[in-house]
Amino acid sequence: DAIPATTTVPARLLYRLPTPFYADEVYRCRDCGKKTVWTASEKFQYYEREKGSMYSKWVRCNACHNKHA
């Protein structure tokens, strides 16, 4: 017997669903290597207000980001 697929979430996304909350995340800047914190409030702003992709992450500190803008 066939089992119906869930059509509200594409199958390719089921392997990496976003977390249901926002928390501070430490990362290293891709350009300068500086340790930086992407704060929970910055994530909220990016994801909820600016409607950024839930699968995107910051990779540059603010100084390096501004050089590329």
Side-chain angles (χ1 to χ4, degrees), residues 5-11 13-14:
T6 303
T7 56
T8 57
V9 178
L13 298 180
L14 293 176

Side-chain angles (χ1 to χ4, degrees), residues 19 21-27 35-50 56-62:
T19 57
F21 58 88
Y22 303 107
D24 290 356
E25 180 179 344
V26 177
Y27 68 97
K35 271 190 177 178
T36 308
V37 177
W38 188 12
T39 67
S41 61
E42 289 171 328
K43 286 180 176 185
F44 179 84
Q45 175 69 28
Y46 177 73
Y47 293 131
E48 302 290 335
R49 296 206 175 118
E50 297 173 15
S56 297
K57 290 188 171 196
W58 282 7
V59 295
R60 292 185 175 95
C61 66
N62 286 334

